[in-house]
Amino acid sequence: MFRHPVTHSKERILYVKKLSTDIDSILEKYPGEPQYLISLLQDVQAQYSYISEENINFICDHVGVPVTKAWSVVTFYRSFSLNPRGEHQVRVCCGTACHLKGADRIAEDLERHLCVEREHTTKDMRFTLETINCPGACAVAPVVMVDDEYLGSTNQADVRQYLKKL
Amino acid sequence: MEKITNIEQLDLLKNSLRKARESGRQVVRVCLGPGCRAQGADKVAAAFRNAVRQQGLPVKVEPLIKETGCHGFCKEGPLVTLEPSGLFYSRVKPDDVEEIVEKTIKNNEVISRLLYSENGTVYKSAQEIPFYKMQKKIASRNVGDIDPLSIEDAIANGAYQAVAKAFASMTPEQVIKDVEVSGLRGRGGAGFPTGRKWRSAADAVKKHPGPVYVVCNGDEGDPGAFMDCVVMEGDPHSVIEGMIIAAYALGARQGFIYVREEYPFAIKNLTIAMEQARSAGLLGANIMGTGFEFDIRINRGAGAYVCGESTALFQSIEGKPGEPRAKYIRSVERGLWDRPTVLNNVETLANIPVIIENGGEWFSKIGPPNSTGTKAFSLVGKVKNVGLVEVPMGVPLSTIVEDIGGGIPGKKSFKAVQTGGPSGGCIPYKLKDVSVDFDSLTKIGSIMGSGGMIVMDDRDCVVDVARYFLRFLEEESCGKCLPCRLGLEAMLEFLDNFAQGKGSLEDIEELKSLAKAVQDGALCALGGSAPNPMLTTLEYFRDEYEAHIIEKRCPAGVCKDLITFHIDSEACTGCGLCASNCPQACITGEDKKPHEISQNACTRCGTCMDLCKFSAITVS
Ligand SMILES: Cc1cc2nc3c(=O)[nH]c(=O)nc-3n(C[C@H](O)[C@H](O)[C@H](O)COP(=O)(O)O)c2cc1C
Ligand code: SF4
Ligand code: FES
Ligand code: FES
């Protein structure tokens, strides 16, 4: 599985969600056993939008797994992000039904429009562009999800317009 | 709710809940399945609650508003059905709600504008609509009917009755026997007989006493399918009940549901359903006062397709990278933590309670002898009635696509159907009467798969589709074994070349032999079945491959490097929408006059075609 290299550029304005909750309250939810590694990483990512090196170390201490093992997990699974994510998640469905209706062209258009490759975040940390598989809304393919909002039967111009209004 | 401490109590509860239902109170069901949600159904549901509250209806008239799972007919969403009138309203907008309350709920008037019509016939209720008429629902029996967040609603519909029956009158051995008799085969793709799987696991535990696990596969990796999502969201109790029965048959005390992280509503509904079941005494310690103990935990997938594979899934539950292992160790004997484990798909488990309640005999009479029961499909792509369907096995494919699905929209023609997702194959129009069952589909080179059914018309290119699935698998390959890691990459290169009009006819032969090597050498079925879409399209649509290679032409007009866009000067109104959106700024023309594309600068990004409101962009 292709993984993107870690880039920690200083100029990035860090957008960190709900930074105030500290990691302990997440750790407490699971017993300290290796099987909870993935669940913990997921919860940490849900809280902070990404997984920092520091937090990997905390999690490893808690579940009793060597740090190298945790890294092999973090880099294996596609949904883990080692970089902070943008303020808005733009997810283009590239499932089969959407593919047949031109989802790829929408994804390409967004890459050009936002000046960012898919699975990456814009420089100003406003948008993270991702592709996803079918969320079950094929009836209105092609589908783009912006945060929790579905844009159905959409096209390049409609998505751009929607992003502009955010 | 009161805790259920013996089996009779469940029956009493069910009967009293049923009685309460018969009070004649009106019910409004708003579909909040994934398709309707994407069309704004949540706003419709909110509008109903608001309208009812504001109107201050007398208790007798105030309807019960249920937010249900997918009704199946997603294309016509958001859907609203009413009881007792049985009315079926389609494409309901929040603005329609006030009128529905005023006219239909208060005065029993039908709003004909909201009724579904097809070929001039107007349908008042769902049962009359051709889309629903030919279906038979077993796995999705309660989806769309019950409120998935209310265990009372599920119990009134008969949930947990099968568990009660098994506890009261069946030994674990009898449960396994009944599942064997039913002939149920796994709905996750491979079609392995479920009864036989349970039997092997039970035997393995006898040989090596100790823990045994029941795992539900809700990873639904097929990128164009959503049946399992709909069942988990719309009727979580059927999955939980199926797991309890499996646990009883095997003596398991711990179960796991592995759900794709991309299904937040499925995770939420399952979590709530489990909590409700625990506090009702239907899950956890001492279920229904019988002393039987079984609990379930949810594991969220982390975006790896390969984790749908059994051994990879177990690795993932154990907190490790999801890499499959060789098949010579059977996972029913050594699965999770090297202990006997039964892994079943969501739909398989949702069938179990019905089998136990009605008997395996009954189930075995539905469908052909070797493929019993029904199968749910997500019918998508170039078909009129996009949605979720469940049909008895053995119906002809054309019945699903043409009668239930309503055929191909517009003036285009039915070209092929892809079943089984990335591991499946492409069935051409000429085989449209094939019986949809495990064996018939395998015979023609495709597979039943988990239930994705993608309809293609003559504007879909088979080379592009084969390439799409192969690219998906190449990206998702875990990289553990070489035939898959490098083989898929090499195969993709051939297809990329074909899509650009490069390559030669010898390449086709070379591609085939490479495919054979990958099939034979891959460690798990991800690699092993990866060549299927390519091989079936090559078998049934060889001329299309040749058109790409020899004539440098994509007959369907999809492959970017082989097409050019033109503007039809008759259709173009000169609105300028394309010109202002073209990233290359290569469309020119005067206002209100037909425009033109400068071919030198055009990158064939397709934006103009997607945006044009007058279908004035032609492809050649
Ligand atoms: C690469 C790969 C992906 C799979 N993905 C799924 C899946 O998403 N859902 C599923 O139920 N089965 C999936 N399977 C099949 C499972 O390995 C397994 O056969 C199935 O869950 C067993 O349940 P069943 O007998 O009830 O079908 C996949 C298999 C492979 C090789
Ligand atoms: S066939 Fe592919 S996915 Fe399966 S083990 Fe080998 S590399 Fe991994
Ligand atoms: S494929 Fe995009 S919503 Fe189903
Ligand atoms: S989601 Fe409403 S009908 Fe499928």
Side-chain angles (χ1 to χ4, degrees):
Chain A
M1 200 174 296
F2 178 69
R3 296 295 320 184
H4 301 283
V6 193
T7 47
H8 280 302
S9 86
K10 287 245 168 62
E11 304 85 86
R12 286 189 160 199
I13 311 153
L14 293 191
Y15 169 75
V16 181
K17 218 159 93 191
K18 302 180 216 151
L19 194 61
S20 53
T21 357
D22 68 298
I23 177 125
D24 286 339
S25 63
I26 301 175
L27 295 176
E28 275 164 18
K29 286 198 291 181
Y30 298 92
E33 291 168 32
Q35 57 168 311
Y36 297 103
L37 174 64
I38 293 177
S39 305
L40 271 169
L41 289 167
Q42 285 168 327
D43 285 6
V44 166
Q45 171 149 318
Q47 194 73 3
Y48 300 100
S49 94
Y50 78 112
I51 298 166
S52 67
E53 240 177 288
E54 196 187 16
N55 282 340
I56 292 185
N57 296 343
F58 284 136
I59 294 173
C60 285
D61 286 347
H62 182 72
V63 295
V65 164
V67 176
T68 48
K69 280 257 167 68
W71 276 93
S72 74
V73 166
V74 171
T75 51
F76 181 86
Y77 292 100
R78 183 216 275 275
S79 69
F80 292 128
S81 169
L82 292 164
N83 292 311
R85 293 194 190 209
E87 189 180 345
H88 299 289
Q89 315 293 313
V90 183
R91 283 174 281 195
V92 184
C93 174
C94 286
T96 320
C98 290
H99 173 79
L100 293 182
K101 297 203 174 154
D104 228 31
R105 296 195 290 270
I106 298 181
E108 278 170 20
D109 184 74
L110 282 171
E111 288 181 321
R112 277 192 300 267
H113 178 65
L114 298 173
C115 296
V116 66
E117 264 180 79
R118 48 191 90 177
E119 325 304 336
H120 281 75
T121 302
T122 54
K123 275 221 175 78
D124 61 2
M125 298 306 284
R126 283 270 288 160
F127 301 104
T128 299
L129 179 64
E130 291 176 316
T131 57
I132 53 167
N133 294 325
C134 184
C138 313
V140 286
V143 175
V144 175
M145 286 181 76
V146 182
D147 300 325
D148 289 329
E149 196 62 39
Y150 289 90
L151 312 180
S153 308
T154 191
N155 62 38
Q156 291 87 330
D158 287 353
V159 181
R160 279 194 232 164
Q161 190 65 30
Y162 186 87
L163 296 184
K164 208 165 146 190
K165 280 194 295 194
L166 284 176
Chain B
M1 200 171 76
E2 209 182 325
K3 213 171 181 109
I4 294 165
T5 51
N6 60 58
I7 290 169
E8 294 76 50
Q9 207 182 329
L10 180 71
D11 242 0
L12 292 177
L13 178 65
K14 178 183 138 190
N15 291 338
S16 72
L17 288 167
R18 281 254 167 109
K19 261 235 175 72
R21 263 192 194 176
E22 281 156 14
S23 66
R25 184 173 178 192
Q26 301 202 49
V27 181
V28 177
R29 289 194 177 82
V30 184
C31 175
L32 276 190
C36 290
R37 222 163 35 224
Q39 300 175 73
D42 43 349
K43 296 185 188 85
V44 174
F48 264 110
R49 292 193 190 287
N50 245 335
V52 167
R53 200 179 317 125
Q54 275 176 5
Q55 299 240 352
L57 297 175
V59 181
K60 267 201 172 149
V61 193
E62 190 189 69
L64 176 68
I65 294 158
K66 277 197 202 177
E67 296 176 0
T68 73
C70 174
H71 292 205
F73 208 3
C74 312
K75 187 69 200 170
E76 294 297 317
L79 298 179
V80 172
T81 58
L82 297 123
E83 239 177 74
S85 61
L87 282 172
F88 178 90
Y89 285 157
S90 60
R91 298 181 190 260
V92 178
K93 306 212 172 36
D95 293 345
D96 298 324
V97 167
E98 206 152 310
E99 192 182 347
I100 298 178
V101 173
E102 198 56 46
K103 289 194 175 151
T104 311
I105 294 176
K106 280 182 164 171
N107 298 313
N108 270 327
E109 258 176 72
V110 177
I111 306 170
S112 35
R113 164 174 55 90
L114 296 173
L115 294 176
Y116 173 70
S117 69
E118 184 181 312
N119 301 330
T121 318
V122 181
Y123 299 93
K124 276 195 177 167
S125 72
Q127 294 88 319
E128 301 163 4
I129 300 174
F131 175 82
Y132 287 107
K133 244 185 178 160
M134 274 165 267
Q135 297 195 42
K136 182 175 177 67
K137 302 208 169 195
I138 295 181
S140 61
R141 57 196 174 279
N142 296 324
V143 181
D145 187 14
I146 61 165
D147 174 352
L149 299 183
S150 154
I151 192 168
E152 286 88 355
D153 215 20
I155 289 176
N157 263 32
Y160 299 100
Q161 290 295 327
V163 177
K165 178 180 174 189
F167 284 163
S169 64
M170 295 167 90
T171 60
E173 166 58 31
Q174 281 170 326
V175 171
I176 296 178
K177 186 85 209 153
D178 225 17
V179 176
E180 277 177 336
V181 169
S182 74
L184 175 68
R185 293 172 67 173
R187 304 301 196 229
F192 192 83
T194 307
R196 205 191 306 162
K197 190 184 268 183
W198 290 17
R199 164 92 50 212
S200 317
D203 289 347
V205 193
K206 268 188 216 128
K207 256 193 272 166
H208 309 281
V212 46
Y213 301 103
V214 173
V215 182
C216 169
N217 192 342
D219 197 40
E220 191 143 72
D222 179 347
F226 57 94
M227 314 71 51
D228 294 347
C229 170
V230 161
V231 173
M232 290 186 285
E233 273 185 28
D235 187 13
H237 292 286
S238 68
V239 181
I240 298 170
E241 189 179 3
M243 289 181 76
I244 300 175
I245 295 169
Y248 175 68
L250 299 161
R253 297 175 68 171
Q254 182 66 53
F256 298 86
I257 308 182
Y258 193 88
V259 193
R260 257 178 79 172
E261 191 184 33
E262 293 86 340
Y263 288 166
F265 289 92
I267 295 172
K268 176 180 145 223
N269 292 7
L270 279 166
T271 310
I272 294 175
M274 275 162 36
E275 267 162 31
Q276 292 179 343
R278 273 186 211 112
S279 49
L282 296 167
L283 188 69
N286 198 12
I287 297 178
M288 293 190 217
T290 56
F292 183 73
E293 177 184 341
F294 176 68
D295 211 337
I296 303 174
R297 223 172 60 211
I298 293 181
N299 284 68
R300 289 159 288 163
Y305 171 70
V306 72
C307 285
E309 198 275 343
S310 51
T311 55
L313 189 147
F314 298 150
Q315 292 287 312
S316 185
I317 292 182
E318 291 177 24
K320 300 174 191 157
E323 285 177 358
R325 64 160 195 233
K327 272 283 176 191
Y328 60 86
I329 316 168
R330 295 170 60 218
S331 58
V332 283
E333 284 165 19
R334 287 173 59 188
L336 260 183
W337 291 289
D338 267 347
R339 291 295 309 167
T341 306
V342 158
L343 173 71
N344 275 130
N345 166 263
V346 168
E347 194 186 331
T348 314
L349 288 164
N351 271 302
I352 295 287
V354 189
I355 292 175
I356 297 301
E357 260 204 282
N358 299 331
E361 243 341 277
W362 168 83
F363 190 85
S364 71
K365 297 211 175 78
I366 305 165
N370 219 358
S371 296
T372 56
T374 56
K375 180 77 195 83
F377 292 99
S378 53
L379 183 62
V380 303
K382 306 296 176 64
V383 61
K384 265 193 209 135
N385 303 334
V386 173
L388 184 95
V389 303
E390 186 173 343
V391 290
M393 297 262 193
V395 301
L397 183 62
S398 54
T399 303
I400 303 180
V401 177
E402 288 172 342
D403 301 335
I404 298 176
I408 313 294
K411 288 198 192 74
K412 309 201 174 98
S413 59
F414 178 3
K415 177 174 179 178
V417 175
Q418 165 86 18
T419 61
S423 309
C426 215
I427 303 168
Y429 175 75
K430 64 174 190 235
L431 295 177
K432 73 181 168 92
D433 291 318
V434 64
S435 149
V436 177
D437 61 66
F438 285 103
D439 303 332
S440 309
L441 292 184
T442 311
K443 214 178 286 161
I444 58 169
S446 188
I447 58 166
M448 172 78 80
S450 59
M453 191 173 268
I454 292 116
V455 182
M456 293 180 244
D457 66 17
D458 48 7
R459 299 299 291 173
D460 295 319
C461 168
V462 291
V463 177
D464 176 69
V465 169
R467 191 167 148 236
Y468 165 79
F469 284 123
L470 199 59
R471 191 184 315 130
F472 173 79
L473 291 175
E474 192 253 345
E475 278 173 15
E476 292 294 337
S477 164
C478 80
K480 181 168 173 170
C481 67
L482 183 132
C484 170
R485 186 176 66 233
L486 298 181
L488 297 189
E489 199 182 315
M491 281 171 61
L492 187 59
E493 208 176 304
F494 277 112
L495 288 183
D496 283 345
N497 277 341
F498 296 165
Q500 292 169 26
K502 295 182 202 153
S504 64
L505 291 180
E506 288 87 69
D507 283 352
I508 294 187
E509 297 315 310
E510 208 166 308
L511 179 59
K512 273 188 178 165
S513 91
L514 188 57
K516 182 88 179 52
V518 174
Q519 279 174 332
D520 291 346
L523 188 63
C524 84
L526 186 150
S529 60
N532 287 357
M534 185 274 290
L535 289 173
T536 50
T537 47
L538 200 50
E539 165 152 8
Y540 296 119
F541 298 96
R542 195 183 164 100
D543 53 333
E544 223 174 300
Y545 278 83
E546 288 177 356
H548 282 76
I549 297 168
I550 302 171
E551 299 165 41
K552 320 271 173 236
R553 186 172 70 84
C554 174
V558 174
C559 296
K560 227 169 141 175
D561 295 284
L562 304 178
I563 53 173
T564 48
F565 290 109
H566 300 277
I567 295 178
D568 177 354
S569 55
E570 307 253 302
C572 178
T573 62
C575 73
L577 186 64
C578 57
S580 60
N581 279 289
C582 172
Q584 292 294 98
C586 66
I587 303 179
T588 49
E590 278 174 52
D591 205 22
K592 309 246 159 48
K593 299 247 170 68
H595 282 44
E596 241 178 83
I597 299 177
S598 147
Q599 297 299 336
N600 293 340
C602 174
T603 58
R604 265 110 37 196
C605 74
T607 306
C608 51
M609 178 179 64
D610 289 333
L611 296 187
C612 183
K613 294 192 170 71
F614 308 97
S615 307
I617 312 285
T618 58
V619 185
S620 60

